[in-house]
Amino acid sequence: MRVSVIGLGKLGLCTAVCIASKGHTVIGVDNNESIITSLKNRNCPIRENGLRKLLDKSIDNMSFTLDFNEAILDTDVTLIIVPTPSGANGAFLNDCVTSALKAIAPALAQKKDFHVIDVVSTVMPGSAQKEFIPLLEDATNKKCGVDFGFVYNPEFIALGSVIRDFLNPDLVLIGASDEKSGETVKNLYESFVESMPEFAIMTPVNAEIAKLALNCYVTMKITYANELARLCEAIEGADVDVVTSALGADTRIGKRCLKGGLGFAGPCFPRDNTAFQKLAADAGVELFLPAQVVKANDFLVDYLFNIATRRVAKGATLALLGFAYKPGTHITECSQSLMLMERFLEAGYRVSAHDPTAEIKIEPRYTHSVTIYTDPMKAVTSAAATLLLVPWPIYCTMDWKAVWKELTHTIYFFDCWRIVKNVAHDKVKYWAFGG
Ligand SMILES: NC(=O)c1ccc[n+]([C@@H]2O[C@H](COP(=O)([O-])OP(=O)(O)OC[C@H]3O[C@@H](n4cnc5c(N)ncnc54)[C@H](O)[C@@H]3O)[C@@H](O)[C@H]2O)c1
C-alpha cells in the first residue's frame, strides 16, 4: 500500500518508519522544514528506542516532503498525526488537524481514486462528524464515504516503547465513515502487526469516545494501585505488592498498570481525564470518576512532600532519582519528580538530581540550589535524604550496599517503588511506599 503520514513527531515518525519497515511505500510530510531536511539527510530528529535503527533499515521505502499535494496524489491512505494540545477549558484543540486537512483538500479534490483520510491524533469526540468531515466535503466538493473515506484511528502507545507498541497492539480502533474505509485501514494494519489484535470497527464518534475512555480507565487503574499503596502504608505489616499481585491474578482486573507508586504523567494521560470531564460537561452529564482520579494523582506530590519534609530539616540537600515521566523515555512532561523538586526548592531545600536520560530543566531562580549528577551514587552520598522516584533499571540493578559503604553520615531513603528493600544499615533510615 502507498501511505502518506502527515506530522513526523514522536508518534508520526515512528508510525511512518514502522509501516515502511514492512515494505509499504511511505511519504512523510511535515510543515516544519528542519524536520524534513533532517530526514532527507538521513538524520533522525526524534529520540525513541529502536527508531534510528528501524529508520536506517526502512529509509529506501520512504521519502520526505513539505508538499501535501504530492503526498496525497501518490498514496492511497493518509495518516494525520499532528498535535492536539489542550485548550484552557481542557478540550483538545483541533487547529493543527484542520490546518492539515485544509492543506490536503486541493489534492483530494482532484484525485480520481478513492482515498482514505485517517486521523490518528487524539481529538474531542464529535470532531470527525461535526468538523473534519464537513470541512473536507466543503473544500473538495466530494461526498465522504462515497468519493473519499474518513477514519478516526487513534494509537495506544507509550513513549519509550512506541515501536514495540505500534507493531504489537492489543486493539486496533477504527472509527470509519464507511465499510470500505474501515476495511482499508484494517488491511493496512493486518499487513504489518506482529500481534493478533482485536479490530474494533465502529463509527468515528464511538472510536473518539473509546480512545478517551480507555486512557482514562488506565489512569484510574494506576490511581487505584497508588491509593492502595497509601492504604498499605498506614496498616502494620501490609505490603501493596502482595495485595496488587492478588488483584492482578483475577482476569477481570489483570496485572498491568497495577504497581502502586507515584502518579501517572507524560504528554497524554494527565490531559485525558480533563478532556473527558469537559466532554461529559458539554453533554450535560456529571461524571464523578475522572475528577477524583486527577485529585488522587495530584495528591501524591503533596503526600510525598510531607513524608520527606516531616523528617528532613529545611535547608538540607535531597537527592531526587528519576525525572522522566516513566522509565524508558527522556520525556519529563507533567513529571511528578519535577513538581516535587519545585516544591522542595520553594520550601528552602537544596536538590541533588539524577536521571539516566532526561534533561532536568531548572528554573533560573533555582539553579544555585540544584546540582545535577551523572553518577546516582554521588547524588545519594551528597544528600541528607534520597527519594527514588522513577523505577529506572539502573536504580534496580545498582549495588546499593556499595552506596551505603560510601556514606559518611546517616541518610533517609524514601523508596517510592520498593526497589531497594531489606536495607539493614545503621546509616540508612529506610521508608518504602506501601511496603
Ligand atoms: N506522543 C504520544 O505518546 C502519543 C500517544 C498517543 C496519541 N498521541 C497523539 O498524537 C498526536 C501527535 O502527538 P506527537 O506526540 O507525535 O506530537 P509531536 O509534537 O511530537 O509531533 C507533531 C508533528 O506534527 C507536525 N505538524 C504540526 N502541525 C502540522 C501541520 N498542520 N501539517 C503538517 N505537520 C504538522 C509538527 O511539526 C511535529 O513534527 C497528538 O494528538 C497526540 O495526542 C500521542
Side-chain angles (χ1 to χ4, degrees):
M1 215 178 272
R2 298 172 310 163
V3 180
S4 41
V5 177
I6 297 181
L8 300 172
K10 296 185 286 297
L11 177 56
L13 184 59
C14 292
T15 301
V17 168
C18 284
I19 295 175
S21 76
K22 299 292 179 173
H24 297 287
T25 302
V26 177
I27 302 181
V29 190
D30 204 287
N31 62 1
N32 181 332
E33 198 171 344
S34 70
I35 290 179
I36 296 301
T37 308
S38 166
L39 286 161
K40 279 186 170 172
N41 291 331
R42 298 191 162 230
N43 294 318
C44 186
I46 297 289
R47 263 172 81 187
E48 175 59 39
N49 293 327
L51 180 60
R52 168 85 261 182
K53 209 167 147 198
L54 203 59
L55 177 65
D56 288 344
K57 190 184 140 200
S58 321
I59 203 146
D60 292 341
N61 292 337
M62 305 184 79
S63 58
F64 305 99
T65 180
L66 290 158
D67 183 350
F68 289 76
N69 278 354
E70 175 192 333
I72 304 305
L73 295 174
D74 293 348
T75 60
D76 313 302
V77 180
T78 299
L79 274 56
I80 298 181
I81 316 181
V82 296
T84 45
S86 300
N89 63 10
F92 304 124
L93 300 175
N94 286 339
D95 302 28
C96 293
V97 179
T98 52
S99 145
L101 294 177
K102 283 176 193 160
I104 62 179
L108 190 63
Q110 48 168 293
K111 202 159 173 189
K112 300 266 179 304
D113 301 328
F114 191 83
H115 190 97
V116 177
I117 305 295
D118 177 352
V119 171
V120 177
S121 301
T122 308
V123 300
M124 291 306 286
S127 298
Q129 211 54 51
K130 289 189 199 144
E131 201 173 354
F132 304 154
I133 294 174
L135 185 159
L136 285 171
E137 288 187 330
D138 288 350
T140 60
N141 218 7
K142 286 185 166 185
K143 185 94 191 104
C144 181
V146 179
D147 307 312
F148 70 90
F150 181 93
V151 168
Y152 178 63
N153 160 227
E155 281 299 329
F156 300 97
I157 54 89
L159 295 177
S161 55
V162 179
I163 290 173
R164 191 193 62 207
D165 297 348
F166 183 76
L167 293 175
N168 297 277
D170 294 333
L171 161 73
V172 178
L173 189 54
I174 299 175
S177 63
D178 59 285
E179 203 178 326
K180 185 173 170 185
S181 304
E183 279 303 308
T184 304
V185 172
K186 183 173 184 242
N187 290 342
L188 174 64
Y189 271 82
E190 279 175 337
S191 72
F192 66 72
V193 290
E194 294 169 4
S195 55
M196 298 277 284
E198 172 140 352
F199 286 92
I201 304 186
M202 55 190 76
T203 60
V205 72
N206 281 327
E208 289 164 333
I209 297 170
K211 160 70 181 174
L212 260 188
L214 193 152
N215 277 9
C216 290
Y217 189 92
V218 173
T219 61
M220 188 178 71
K221 192 173 176 190
I222 293 168
T223 303
Y224 193 80
N226 295 344
E227 296 263 84
L228 274 177
R230 281 202 296 116
L231 180 66
C232 290
E233 184 61 45
I235 297 174
E236 180 81 37
D239 181 334
V240 67
D241 289 325
V242 175
V243 175
T244 54
S245 71
L247 262 68
D250 187 316
T251 53
R252 289 172 302 174
I253 297 175
K255 289 188 189 302
R256 290 181 66 189
C257 305
L258 203 61
K259 173 98 185 156
L262 273 194
F264 58 83
C268 295
F269 279 166
R271 65 199 195 105
D272 288 344
N273 277 292
T274 315
F276 206 40
Q277 286 174 69
K278 171 78 176 116
L279 169 71
D282 287 351
V285 177
E286 188 178 5
L287 292 186
F288 300 103
L289 284 173
Q292 293 305 316
V293 167
V294 172
K295 194 173 166 189
N297 199 54
D298 292 347
F299 179 75
L300 282 167
V301 173
D302 292 334
Y303 181 73
L304 205 53
F305 176 81
N306 290 332
I307 293 275
T309 54
R310 269 191 217 120
R311 291 163 174 86
V312 186
K314 188 172 156 179
T317 300
L318 303 173
L320 306 188
L321 302 186
F323 281 82
Y325 83 88
K326 66 179 193 67
T329 178
H330 63 286
I331 306 286
T332 56
E333 225 165 311
C334 299
S335 142
Q336 294 204 325
S337 308
L338 284 180
M339 294 178 203
L340 265 168
M341 176 162 76
E342 181 144 348
R343 292 283 303 276
F344 288 135
L345 292 169
E346 267 169 11
Y349 290 86
R350 300 176 64 80
V351 167
S352 295
H354 175 269
D355 188 281
T357 64
E359 187 196 338
I360 303 166
K361 293 193 191 91
I362 302 152
E363 276 190 47
R365 65 192 163 125
Y366 289 131
T367 43
H368 63 282
S369 302
V370 182
T371 309
I372 296 177
Y373 287 86
T374 49
D375 179 353
M377 184 195 277
K378 293 219 166 80
V380 174
T381 53
S382 73
T386 291
L387 289 92
L388 204 169
L389 301 170
V390 179
W392 273 106
I394 182 179
Y395 305 142
C396 301
T397 55
M398 236 166 104
D399 183 355
W400 288 101
K401 285 193 180 130
V403 178
W404 311 148
K405 272 191 200 148
E406 292 295 312
L407 289 172
T408 53
H409 57 284
T410 301
I411 64 162
Y412 277 99
F413 195 96
F414 303 106
D415 186 349
C416 297
W417 298 93
R418 304 161 299 284
I419 283 172
V420 185
K421 276 197 161 172
N422 304 323
V423 178
H425 197 285
D426 56 4
K427 287 208 166 67
V428 185
K429 294 181 181 173
Y430 182 77
W431 174 92
F433 183 29

